[in-house]
Amino acid sequence: MSLKQIACNKSFGGLQKVFSHESSSLKCTMKFALYLPPEAESRKVPVIYWLSGLECTEQNFMTKAGAQQHAAVNNFILVIPDTSPRGCNIPGEDESYDFGTGAGFYVDATQDPWKTNYNMYSYITQELPFLINSEFPADPERQSIMGHSMGGHGALICYLKNPGKYRSVSAFSPICNPTQGPWGKKALKGYLGSDEESWKDYDATCLVAKYDGPPIDILIDQGTDDKFLEKELLPDNFVAACKEAQVPVVLQKREGYDHSYFYIATFIGEHFKHHAKYLNA
Ligand SMILES: N[C@@H](CCC(=O)N[C@@H](CSC=O)C(=O)NCC(=O)O)C(=O)O
């Protein structure tokens, strides 16, 4: 498991780094960004995984969200993976922004020609935490997950499918019910095939209905001027399913905000406070 450091910049007293490594689940070279807060020099600290949206790499959240200041004061390691395998030479992988490269959708593909590489669910929930816990001063008992849009969907499904693995979850403008929206349908059909029952294993609205684990406290953040809200994101479907299943959820609506990183940067501090309640308990 050879990690190669490819960037390192001091930020808010800690270090913002980028690494590359050979991924066994994705069978390609992957990059991830990692922020080490000042206290990581002397002790193990909690970890937050951030999952990004369509078209993103490990760079977008690292450079646009202003998260380092919050990770520094809370003493959290931040891990920011890429959003798909890269350079696998699969026919069609670079044809659209919402499927293939930059659009791994955090599933384990079952269909050819994607199933050899497009295993982002295993990468995020198994391979990457093993690597982070082995190579960095990360406390494996204190990890949380958050994300944006496709990455918000990823954060919700990783959390709901692995009760107790993550202490908390939050999401900005997540794709809450991918089996019902165009982005989700395209990705789930392409990676999982045409049996729509199999899609439900990766749909937060379906998963929450059968959640059986420790008490949870889900935070969803949503701009009211988000152009993807009504067709793609469908947070009201998720909230209704949570209500039905008696699972607590907060849907925080933000008047006039859109889908961009300007919006994320405005409220990222509140999300760190949400996670700090659980990670520093
Ligand atoms: N080009 C597309 C939409 C692309 C887009 O908005 N990507 C978002 C995530 S959307 C859901 O996963 C993003 O985070 N972009 C990167 C950034 O730095 O803003 C279109 O407009 O239709």
Side-chain angles (χ1 to χ4, degrees):
M1 190 115 42
S2 64
L3 262 185
K4 189 172 159 202
Q5 183 174 304
I6 52 183
C8 180
N9 297 89
K10 190 163 184 179
S11 177
F12 293 94
L15 295 172
Q16 177 63 65
K17 301 185 178 216
V18 178
F19 293 91
S20 69
H21 72 118
E22 294 308 311
S23 163
S24 54
S25 33
L26 308 180
K27 304 203 170 39
C28 66
T29 306
M30 290 295 285
K31 287 184 193 165
F32 63 88
L34 180 136
Y35 179 74
L36 280 172
E39 283 209 15
E41 280 179 26
S42 53
R43 65 173 175 98
K44 287 193 174 191
V45 297
V47 190
I48 297 186
Y49 290 85
W50 169 270
L51 305 186
S52 301
L54 294 168
E55 294 189 311
C56 290
T57 67
E58 81 292 343
Q59 292 285 320
N60 301 64
F61 182 75
M62 176 180 80
T63 55
K64 293 182 172 182
Q68 292 84 357
Q69 59 191 303
H70 305 293
V73 295
N74 286 290
N75 283 303
F76 297 157
I77 289 176
L78 263 180
V79 180
I80 310 157
D82 201 348
T83 53
S84 76
R86 302 256 164 198
C88 298
N89 296 317
I90 299 173
E93 70 184 347
D94 294 327
E95 269 170 20
S96 53
Y97 79 91
D98 55 0
F99 190 76
T101 303
F105 249 86
Y106 305 104
V107 304
D108 282 352
T110 57
Q111 302 301 298
D112 285 323
W114 308 101
K115 66 183 186 192
T116 304
N117 306 96
Y118 277 69
N119 295 309
M120 287 298 288
Y121 177 71
S122 292
Y123 179 67
I124 297 298
T125 58
Q126 300 296 327
E127 182 178 353
L128 200 52
F130 182 79
L131 177 66
I132 298 301
N133 295 336
S134 321
E135 300 287 329
F136 299 99
D139 180 347
E141 300 304 318
R142 290 188 293 161
Q143 54 179 15
S144 292
I145 192 159
M146 61 179 169
H148 171 228
S149 197
M150 175 184 74
H153 140 79
L156 290 172
I157 60 157
C158 290
Y159 183 73
L160 291 168
K161 282 163 80 69
N162 295 279
K165 186 179 180 83
Y166 303 99
R167 288 212 179 177
S168 50
V169 66
S170 74
F172 288 88
S173 27
I175 302 171
C176 287
N177 196 185
T179 58
Q180 302 303 317
W183 281 341
K185 286 181 183 178
K186 178 175 176 178
L188 296 172
K189 187 172 184 189
Y191 296 131
L192 305 178
S194 41
D195 174 11
E196 296 188 19
E197 267 314 294
S198 70
W199 302 0
K200 293 180 180 172
D201 276 349
Y202 292 104
D203 182 312
T205 298
C206 304
L207 289 169
V208 83
K210 52 179 191 182
Y211 177 79
D212 184 19
I216 52 181
D217 172 16
I218 301 171
L219 172 60
I220 292 190
D221 209 295
Q222 180 61 60
T224 60
D225 283 12
D226 185 326
K227 68 179 178 180
F228 301 117
L229 178 54
E230 279 166 18
K231 266 178 77 179
E232 302 284 5
L233 308 179
L234 311 173
D236 293 339
N237 294 3
F238 183 67
V239 170
C242 287
K243 205 169 167 192
E244 180 73 26
Q246 298 188 313
V247 168
V249 62
V250 171
L251 173 58
Q252 185 75 61
K253 292 197 177 160
R254 311 291 192 176
E255 200 56 42
Y257 286 89
D258 61 15
H259 199 70
S260 70
Y261 270 91
F262 294 108
Y263 149 63
I264 295 171
T266 307
F267 299 109
I268 190 72
E270 289 188 26
H271 285 239
F272 273 84
K273 280 190 190 141
H274 171 77
H275 292 291
K277 279 192 288 182
Y278 301 96
L279 290 171
N280 290 333

